[in-house]
Amino acid sequence: MHHQIRIPSQARRASVSTLIPFALILFAALFCESALGTAEDSTPHVGGSDLTASTTSVSDWLDQRITQAMHLYTWLHAHPEVSFEEQETAAKLAGLWREAGFEVTENVGGYGIVGVLKNGEGPTVMLRTDLDALPVTEQTPVSYASTQTVTREDGSSTGVMHACGHDIHMTNLTTVLQWLAEHRKSWAGTIVAIGQPAEEHGAGAKAMLEDGLFDRFPRPDFALAMHVTSDKATGQITLRPGFSQANVDSVDITMKGRGGHGSAPHTTIDPIVQAAELVLSLQMIVSREIAPIEPAVITVGSIHGGTKHNVIGNDCTLQLTVRSYSPDIRQQLLEAIRRRALGIAATHAAPEPDVVLSEGTPSLKNDLELAARMQLVFGKQLGAENVIQDQPSMGGEDFSRYGIAGVPILMYGVGSVSQARLDRFAKLGIPPASLHSAVYYPDAEETLRVSVPAMILAVVELMPSNATDSPN
């Protein structure tokens, strides 16, 4: 999921030691038991005893590869790179995909990579992973924690961390590709694997599409992506047909006035008063202009104006995030924000404000038929009770752009925290760490033991082989 912090195009990374505040030590200690747990504890819960032969055979293969997969995961976790700077990450994956037998093209839409494997006649399926990490200083207890840093535009330094699970996503996809390359009798068609940069900025999918993703490479009939969830147990998968992620837009507003002395406000046009009025007015858009059944959010995340107690300044700036699902509601929200800002300025006889819209990501709409098919596949793997209808989110995901380009898409969630850890959180009355948190980390092996077979079985469902053998 994307983050709004901006990083310069030439980021500087260095190794530093991560300081863990004392208050986090107890929190971290809660995790150590699962991080150092036994192999028996790491076996994911499966919904029923009657697993299919396909699921069993994939799991048997994964038993032989899980150590290799974990080595890749820990390397990726320890070497995170922020959006637009994923050079080493992309090179690492490109090399592994080539070794597996894929034809790999690098530097697509930045540091994006595309791997293609053709295997006879059949549909084309695109599998996507994101590559980038977040400007977050890691505070987890794992031995492979990141100590990387990056310099921000303001000159300050911050840590870099895979706090959104993209390291799991990359490990999952790479392992899936290795299985597909080794078991070509189990599927037929063309696999297009993409490593997408800059998801956290909501820019990577657009960059790859503009660089000819669907023109230079086989156009997919379906596209799949997984995303870890931090509040669901390993052994569970979540999905939601239809809208699951929101339109995300940013709005920067500068209310203008005429500065002067704070003791003589009548001689000024106060931009802070205008801004204060606007903050309240904006909340009326959702409550009074948008139908109650339509999801919509307007949040003023930043407001800055003035320099001193007794000085009325010339301007006041506001930064907004705007969320919605449908294109019509999106447009209605943005038009209403502009109208109210202009109206308040006119009421105060103030200069016209600057209202700058920055398009983020469009809403993610999972294909209904594809979601229904995958629900059956995942239910057969894990048991129907472990395939959970997810709640819609007002977060953003630029995987949506592939759907807007005309490809049936599905992004599904994979639980990444062991049930034992979730139980401890519940007992202590604290929520599990959220994605983007400095203290979030997945139970990686348990997660991969679910996510890898799930994606393999999804591909085999979409790309059935004419051969008689099943996945083995």
Side-chain angles (χ1 to χ4, degrees), residues 40-218:
E40 181 180 357
D41 291 337
S42 67
T43 304
H45 173 71
V46 179
S49 58
D50 295 326
L51 292 176
T52 67
S54 297
T55 304
T56 303
S57 59
V58 171
S59 298
D60 290 344
W61 176 89
L62 185 57
D63 285 340
Q64 307 302 314
R65 295 300 186 96
I66 194 65
T67 299
Q68 177 183 333
M70 286 300 298
H71 284 161
L72 174 60
Y73 167 74
T74 55
W75 187 92
L76 291 167
H77 188 90
H79 298 83
E81 296 175 295
V82 295
S83 299
F84 305 113
E85 298 293 336
E86 310 94 336
Q87 184 174 11
E88 292 184 16
T89 302
K92 180 77 169 180
L93 264 60
L96 292 172
W97 295 6
R98 285 194 182 98
E99 288 178 11
F102 282 72
E103 180 180 344
V104 179
T105 302
E106 298 180 69
N107 301 314
V108 179
Y111 287 115
I113 59 174
V114 179
V116 177
L117 183 61
K118 296 181 179 180
N119 187 33
E121 296 297 323
T124 297
V125 173
M126 186 177 86
L127 305 175
R128 177 265 211 173
T129 182
D130 25 25
L131 304 177
D132 53 334
L134 287 161
V136 173
T137 301
E138 182 162 357
Q139 296 175 338
T140 73
V142 299
S143 61
Y144 46 87
S146 167
T147 58
Q148 304 300 312
T149 64
V150 68
T151 301
R152 293 181 286 200
E153 289 180 338
D154 63 3
S156 63
S157 180
T158 183
V160 183
M161 176 188 176
H162 274 299
C164 199
H166 296 186
D167 45 0
I168 285 284
H169 304 169
M170 290 184 278
T171 305
N172 172 82
L173 180 54
T174 299
T175 308
V176 168
L177 299 185
Q178 291 167 342
W179 187 94
L180 292 170
E182 293 178 18
H183 298 81
R184 302 189 195 194
K185 290 184 178 181
S186 296
W187 60 279
T190 299
I191 294 290
V192 178
I194 67 168
Q196 180 201 300
E199 186 276 328
E200 295 294 354
H201 276 248
K206 183 178 182 181
M208 293 190 78
L209 288 167
E210 290 178 348
D211 201 11
L213 177 63
F214 289 167
D215 299 319
R216 298 164 55 189
F217 307 97

